[in-house]
Amino acid sequence: ASHQLRIHDTINTNFYVLTNSNPIIEKSTKNIFHPLKISYKNYEENITKAKFDTSNNKWNQVQDFQWLKKEKSPNFDTRDDNEEVKL
């Protein structure tokens, strides 16, 4: 969970994201973005204190600063197939 997520020089990594701004990648390839699905005692309280809007998670609105074309960047993928992790 982050208010801003900027990723540089990263290859073949899975990111589980809760952010209210578009994630940004630069010089990165073969990355996969998933929504953060987690629960633990006081999770909701912590999210509220941190001022996250869980209804506005932009985990899949990735911007690739090395790919400025209208077509989707080949440097990342998005998947919403992960299950919630309970800690």
Side-chain angles (χ1 to χ4, degrees):
S2 174
H3 288 284
Q4 183 182 67
L5 180 60
R6 296 185 71 122
I7 298 163
H8 299 267
D9 304 305
T10 305
I11 299 170
N12 200 27
T13 304
N14 285 284
F15 293 95
Y16 298 86
V17 178
L18 170 58
T19 185
N20 295 142
S21 63
N22 295 0
I24 296 169
I25 63 171
E26 271 190 87
K27 300 178 188 168
S28 298
T29 60
K30 300 180 184 175
N31 295 299
I32 302 173
F33 289 81
H34 310 265
L36 178 66
K37 296 178 184 176
I38 190 169
S39 67
Y40 58 85
K41 185 179 177 180
N42 300 324
Y43 173 78
E44 293 298 327
E45 180 182 334
N46 291 341
I47 290 298
T48 300
K49 282 182 181 177
K51 299 182 180 172
F52 283 107
D53 178 0
T54 56
S55 68
N56 188 32
N57 187 2
K58 296 187 177 183
W59 67 272
N60 60 350
Q61 303 300 311
V62 180
Q63 295 180 325
D64 183 350
F65 279 15
Q66 298 301 116
W67 187 265
L68 302 177
K69 299 176 185 177
K70 290 191 182 230
E71 302 90 35
K72 183 190 165 303
S73 167
N75 297 319
F76 71 90
D77 196 5
T78 59
R79 295 189 191 147
D80 188 2
D81 58 358
N82 54 311
E83 294 186 24
E84 181 177 87
V85 176
K86 295 181 189 256
L87 302 176

